[in-house]
Amino acid sequence: MHLKVHLSPLASGLSIDDTVELYCGNGEQILQWVGYASCSRLAYNRGEVYGRFVPQSITTKDGQNLDVDIVVNEILSDGDELYVEYSNGPQPYRVRWEGRPRSPPFKWGGEGEIVPSHDVWLMEVDLAKEGMLPLVDGDAHVDKPGRPEADLQEVKKLLIQFAAPMQMVFYAWSAEGASSGQQLGTITLPQFRGMMQQAKVMTLTFGSEKVDEIFSGVVTSEHTLARRLESKNGVSSLDLLDFLIAVVHVAYHRYAAEKPNATLQMLWIKVSALYSECIQPHMFPELSKKLNRFADAVSNASAQLLLRRANKLIEGTLDSCQLKRVRSATVKVDLRWLCTHLTRWQLLGRDFNVQELALIAIFAKQTTTSPEAFVLHPQPLEYNYSEFERLLLGMAHHIFVAKKKAGKFEEYLGEMLDMIFKKAGVLVDVAKDVMDE
């Protein structure tokens, strides 16, 4: 197995400095080796000492930043091209890939690993450092020292309060227009504009051009670009945190456009108004209606019994989807990687598309159909055993209804599971002559 590796200075936009051919044998090394080997070859070619160049990230030719702890032959094939970003070090692999734990990656207590709070990523946000103080009307806080900061704290409380349903709406919209599961998790300008249109945010005084301006302002802000250096999401899309910040900007500018003569108000009041007047009434009912379609599958006693009986095979299937690397105590597989397997199983792209999968994925993550009662997830695209089981149930129900399958739902569910188990290699057909013995 050999790879074509392009070497690029860190933060240079993947401009190519040099290209090397790496021979990997059977490809049983982890990707970290690719980075170190490529940088060593670069140093040799330039007559520099070993260690002069230090790998910082490994990226596909499509711009996807890869987890460097994955075994090479799990995600790459002979002849594939990669980009290795390098710097002078001294620390290697400082650029974060999707899902990489922050340092320190694990904390241990008396009962094992201590899992961080589900909302720690939002609790740690400093809205003032995110450039939101200019959105606070100073005249609304005259003679009240410290009130602008207190106003931002109230805004943060609202973001935390609304985070769970907004998280699911965000991931549903990240699938709009997507042709690949790899596009889940970030939203582009057309997607952001579409969200605001569905929420009926645009008016005669607050048009789509203002929404576009806000998107561009947030995506190119100093704070967003600083995060891009770690996340490698690109400079043309928003992640969930960027999206929530953009929503605050929308709330501020829409309020100013709609009520220019109104008395000055706190920023948190403007955010609350956008949520209660636009987002909640115009986006949540539609999502709830779509999720209610799965009610028959959840209430089907025979289907639930079948899932319980197939529990070990379902767990084995998710295990088979894990990339070859150190296994975590709790098996979790990213939906974007699951999409690779769903395609191999001839489900994604044939029986449902990425947009339909996103809705099924929300059903799998949330046990209620009411967005207001949704639970916030620290890693919303990662699926454990129980969530994977609901994902399979949701897929089967979608196909059964959309394709108008004959017979009972539980019968089709059994057929689909049987097909998946065999393709995943956890259920093997017994040859007839063996059975006769």
Side-chain angles (χ1 to χ4, degrees):
M1 179 179 185
H2 81 282
L3 301 172
K4 188 174 185 179
V5 182
H6 305 295
L7 289 123
S8 172
L10 182 64
S12 67
L14 297 183
S15 62
I16 301 174
D17 260 15
D18 204 344
T19 299
V20 299
E21 295 277 345
L22 278 187
Y23 291 88
C24 313
N26 293 326
E28 291 294 331
Q29 308 92 329
I30 61 174
L31 280 176
Q32 284 196 37
W33 174 85
V34 172
Y36 285 118
S38 301
C39 286
S40 296
R41 186 77 63 81
L42 178 65
Y44 176 81
N45 291 346
R46 294 186 175 181
E48 299 281 359
V49 298
Y50 175 79
R52 173 68 176 81
F53 305 112
V54 181
Q56 297 299 327
S57 76
I58 298 181
T59 305
T60 68
K61 63 180 180 181
D62 298 321
Q64 180 191 357
N65 199 32
L66 298 175
D67 181 342
V68 296
D69 289 332
I70 293 172
V71 175
V72 170
N73 61 23
E74 274 287 296
I75 57 171
L76 299 173
S77 302
D78 184 50
D80 279 353
E81 293 184 46
L82 291 174
Y83 285 82
V84 171
E85 287 188 297
Y86 66 88
S87 72
N88 294 331
Q91 273 187 293
Y93 299 111
R94 294 184 62 193
V95 176
R96 297 181 187 275
W97 56 85
E98 186 67 32
R100 176 179 176 179
R102 292 181 177 272
S103 180
F106 300 106
K107 292 183 179 179
W108 297 91
E111 298 182 358
E113 181 186 349
I114 300 174
V115 180
S117 171
H118 66 288
D119 58 0
V120 65
W121 59 274
L122 189 52
M123 294 293 290
E124 293 178 350
V125 173
D126 186 332
L127 296 183
K129 290 184 178 179
E130 293 292 338
M132 288 199 177
L133 273 177
L135 302 186
V136 178
D137 290 322
D139 292 341
H141 302 281
V142 66
D143 299 327
K144 296 178 182 178
R147 289 304 300 168
E149 289 76 13
D151 194 354
L152 289 184
Q153 285 300 314
E154 292 301 316
V155 171
K156 186 173 179 177
K157 289 179 183 177
L158 287 175
L159 293 181
I160 293 171
Q161 178 184 339
F162 306 149
M166 293 295 281
Q167 183 184 59
M168 294 297 109
V169 167
F170 172 84
Y171 282 103
W173 268 95
S174 75
E176 287 299 314
S179 58
S180 164
Q182 298 301 323
Q183 295 169 270
L184 296 171
T186 60
I187 59 171
T188 60
L189 174 56
Q191 291 168 334
F192 183 70
R193 190 189 303 127
M195 293 177 76
M196 297 301 104
Q197 287 173 340
Q198 184 189 9
K200 300 191 184 303
V201 168
M202 275 81 101
T203 64
L204 291 175
T205 57
F206 186 77
S208 59
E209 68 282 353
K210 191 62 182 178
V211 170
D212 295 357
E213 181 183 323
I214 290 170
F215 179 94
S216 299
V218 172
V219 84
T220 59
S221 72
E222 176 185 349
H223 313 282
T224 304
L225 290 174
R227 283 195 297 273
R228 286 293 179 273
L229 184 61
E230 292 190 344
S231 68
K232 292 296 292 296
N233 281 338
V235 295
S236 61
S237 60
L238 300 176
D239 62 18
L240 178 59
L241 178 56
D242 301 329
F243 165 68
L244 294 177
I245 290 170
V247 167
V248 176
H249 282 270
V250 170
Y252 171 80
H253 289 287
R254 186 179 189 274
Y255 194 93
E258 288 292 286
K259 304 175 183 179
N261 299 320
T263 55
L264 294 171
Q265 288 284 7
M266 308 292 185
L267 180 59
W268 71 266
I269 291 178
K270 300 171 185 177
V271 174
S272 181
L274 181 72
Y275 183 81
S276 61
E277 296 173 9
C278 299
I279 296 173
Q280 188 175 31
H282 298 300
M283 300 190 81
F284 292 177
E286 179 67 18
L287 178 57
S288 182
K289 180 181 177 182
K290 290 179 179 178
L291 291 175
N292 274 320
R293 298 172 186 168
F294 298 100
D296 290 342
V298 176
S299 62
N300 188 309
S302 298
Q304 294 300 323
L305 177 60
L306 179 60
L307 291 173
R308 287 196 296 272
R309 289 178 172 174
N311 178 259
K312 292 301 180 183
L313 290 171
I314 291 173
E315 291 183 358
T317 301
L318 189 63
D319 288 342
S320 74
C321 296
Q322 265 201 314
L323 294 167
K324 274 195 278 184
R325 53 178 297 182
V326 178
R327 288 179 179 265
S328 59
T330 303
V331 174
K332 294 181 180 179
V333 179
D334 193 292
L335 181 63
R336 288 162 292 196
W337 178 245
L338 276 175
C339 285
T340 303
H341 293 272
L342 294 176
T343 302
R344 290 174 183 169
W345 301 336
Q346 296 183 318
L347 294 170
L348 181 59
R350 188 189 72 172
D351 292 325
F352 50 80
N353 57 32
V354 177
Q355 293 76 34
E356 292 162 335
L357 175 63
L359 180 65
I360 298 168
I362 293 173
F363 160 75
K365 273 288 183 181
Q366 304 292 345
T367 57
T368 176
T369 60
S370 172
E372 289 83 356
F374 280 175
V375 174
L376 183 66
H377 290 274
Q379 296 292 341
L381 292 177
E382 287 187 352
Y383 286 76
N384 58 28
Y385 290 139
S386 61
E387 292 164 346
F388 181 60
E389 179 182 291
R390 280 179 64 89
L391 188 74
L392 294 175
L393 177 67
M395 290 190 301
H397 184 266
H398 171 82
I399 298 170
F400 182 77
V401 173
K403 303 294 184 180
K404 299 180 180 179
K405 297 288 185 178
K408 297 180 179 179
F409 168 64
E410 59 268 25
E411 293 173 350
Y412 174 72
L413 174 63
E415 293 172 6
M416 189 195 79
L417 290 177
D418 188 64
M419 178 272 294
I420 290 175
F421 295 156
K422 290 176 181 177
K423 290 188 175 182
V426 298
L427 184 64
V428 181
D429 279 324
V430 179
K432 186 178 184 302
D433 56 347
V434 175
M435 292 179 65
D436 290 342
E437 292 178 5

